[in-house]
Amino acid sequence: MEKVVIIGSGCAGLTAAIYTARANLNPLVLTGTMPGGLLTTTSIVENYPGFPEGVDGFELMQRMQKQAERFGARVEFGTVESAAVEGNPIKLAVDGKEIETRTLIIASGAGHRHLGLESEARLENKGVTYCATCDGALPMFRDQPLVVVGGGDSACEEATYLTRFGSVVYLIHRRDELRASKIMADRALAHPKIKPIWDSVVTEVMDVEAGKVTGVRVRNVRTEEEQVLDCAGLFVAIGHVPNTQIFRNQVEMDEAGYVIPKRGSETSAKGVFVAGDCSDHVYRQAVTAAGLGCAAAIDAERYLAGISQ
Ligand code: NAP
């Protein structure tokens, strides 16, 4: 039986692995389908402390994995298909085999919601991005027109942030009213560089053949009129989807599927802890995920110490 299983190998999961490994708990990390997590999809990470020149997202995650392995963490490629967390041991079905564990750290992250366009997928990381904080400062976006899609706090925050870099920021929303909190909406709409495009959806990202974003085709959903907006970047900020489906009805979560931590990183299920983007819809930064992973590891360690006393 395992002492600690960690689901997810992003910043939260690997930091939890470093801490539990250093506590001699020999953790098993199950990577999920995206080893290294969302950060591996970003190019340069410029806001992770300790890297004044920035660090490649993939490299940062590889370093974290090496650090965890150095202390005895076992990182295995595996996807948890189902989980039974009510009793102890906790049981997981992983690629057809059963794993039993005394504690579980859910660090399964969240995925960016995508528009679902083929051109969007083909130009991802070539001007299409899902994180202004991560990518906004890249040279390719400097003094260029930029597009943000979405009407929530994320879209408003990203659009406001991008005014530092872009010449103009088009904020495209499918309705004529923002969902964002009043303060964030007011701040965005009052900014002279932000130009809202209401009742509109992006139907195509150009230019797939050129291999970079040169513009977006936009359709007004009321008038059906189309226009093309020239831009160098498309920032999609239409929400996130936490990777928590397998825990639905077993661990308390909100309507959107974010696990609700109780005390510290404890969840509603005994011996089950949570860290990172699957429980955090506010900060969603690599460094906050790492911090939450550390907290979950310490909580799991204390829980195990309590059981054995
Ligand atoms: P959100 O509140 O769920 O907003 C998503 C936005 O994307 C909505 O405006 C929605 O349109 C639009 N949308 C969804 N699917 C779409 C699609 N397929 N095509 C086009 N538009 C689409 O998500 P969020 O902005 O990421 O915020 C999530 C949570 O984090 C919220 O609770 C928010 O308050 C919080 N947050 C807080 C801060 C902060 O306080 N600093 C910053 C960021 C996020 P509709 O409005 O028409 O549904």
Side-chain angles (χ1 to χ4, degrees), residues 123-125 127-132 134-136 141 158 233-237:
L123 290 170
E124 190 171 339
N125 287 333
V128 174
T129 142
Y130 300 87
C131 178
C134 322
D135 298 330
F141 300 129
E158 303 225 331
L234 171 65
F235 293 78
V236 182

Side-chain angles (χ1 to χ4, degrees), residues 113-115 149-155 157 173-175 179 184 237-240 281-282 284:
R113 186 173 285 133
H114 291 204
L115 293 170
V149 182
D153 279 334
S154 295
E157 191 169 65
H173 183 34
R174 62 185 177 182
R175 295 186 292 127
R179 171 180 296 278
M184 310 241 327
I238 59 171
H240 289 77
H281 55 75
V282 179
R284 299 193 198 115

Side-chain angles (χ1 to χ4, degrees), residues 9-280:
S9 53
C11 282
L14 290 177
T15 305
I18 293 167
Y19 273 76
T20 48
R22 289 191 79 247
N24 284 338
L25 294 173
N26 192 27
L28 173 65
V29 180
L30 300 168
T31 61
T33 50
M34 191 190 269
L38 268 186
L39 215 60
T40 57
T41 65
T42 329
S43 39
I44 295 290
V45 182
E46 288 183 330
N47 52 10
Y48 199 86
F51 296 91
E53 315 301 332
V55 57
D56 179 78
F58 186 76
E59 186 194 335
L60 179 64
M61 299 321 299
Q62 276 190 323
R63 282 168 172 258
M64 280 193 202
Q65 179 172 334
K66 267 192 201 156
Q67 194 174 350
E69 285 171 337
R70 182 180 149 212
F71 296 109
R74 292 159 295 141
V75 180
E76 288 181 11
F77 187 80
T79 306
V80 182
E81 286 139 359
S82 64
V85 301
E86 274 115 19
N88 210 293
I90 294 154
K91 293 182 179 162
L92 306 171
V94 182
D95 297 332
K97 72 177 185 200
E98 186 175 270
I99 293 178
E100 293 189 342
T101 181
R102 289 170 69 192
T103 66
L104 177 67
I105 296 177
I106 305 171
S108 47
H112 298 289
R113 186 173 285 133
H114 291 204
L115 293 170
L117 303 170
E118 195 195 326
S119 51
E120 171 196 15
R122 297 198 40 199
L123 290 170
E124 190 171 339
N125 287 333
K126 294 172 184 157
V128 174
T129 142
Y130 300 87
C131 178
T133 328
C134 322
D135 298 330
L138 292 175
M140 67 202 272
F141 300 129
R142 298 273 166 143
D143 302 316
Q144 300 292 322
L146 303 173
V147 165
V148 174
V149 182
D153 279 334
S154 295
C156 288
E157 191 169 65
E158 303 225 331
T160 306
Y161 179 73
L162 289 169
T163 57
R164 300 181 198 185
F165 312 109
S167 55
V168 56
V169 180
Y170 297 107
L171 179 60
I172 300 180
H173 183 34
R174 62 185 177 182
R175 295 186 292 127
D176 63 358
E177 187 187 20
L178 294 174
R179 171 180 296 278
S181 54
K182 190 167 170 6
I183 186 165
M184 310 241 327
D186 287 352
R187 192 179 300 151
L189 295 178
H191 200 288
K193 274 194 184 175
I194 295 179
K195 307 246 177 285
I197 312 260
W198 302 113
D199 296 317
S200 296
V201 292
V202 171
T203 55
E204 186 190 350
V205 193
M206 292 164 289
D207 181 347
V208 169
E209 282 197 357
K212 63 176 184 176
V213 172
T214 58
V216 290
R217 191 180 302 281
V218 180
R219 180 167 53 85
N220 184 303
V221 292
R222 288 190 190 221
T223 64
E224 294 296 322
E225 269 171 33
E226 280 199 352
Q227 63 171 321
V228 171
L229 293 174
D230 292 340
C231 64
L234 171 65
F235 293 78
V236 182
I238 59 171
H240 289 77
V241 187
N243 302 320
T244 56
Q245 295 82 342
I246 55 168
F247 298 106
R248 199 162 273 285
N249 301 324
Q250 298 196 70
V251 171
E252 201 178 318
M253 53 181 81
D254 67 14
E255 272 181 14
Y258 290 96
V259 175
I260 301 171
K262 301 280 152 193
R263 212 170 33 147
S265 67
E266 280 175 16
T267 70
S268 57
K270 241 177 130 192
V272 180
F273 304 86
V274 70
D277 286 7
C278 60
S279 69
D280 167 26

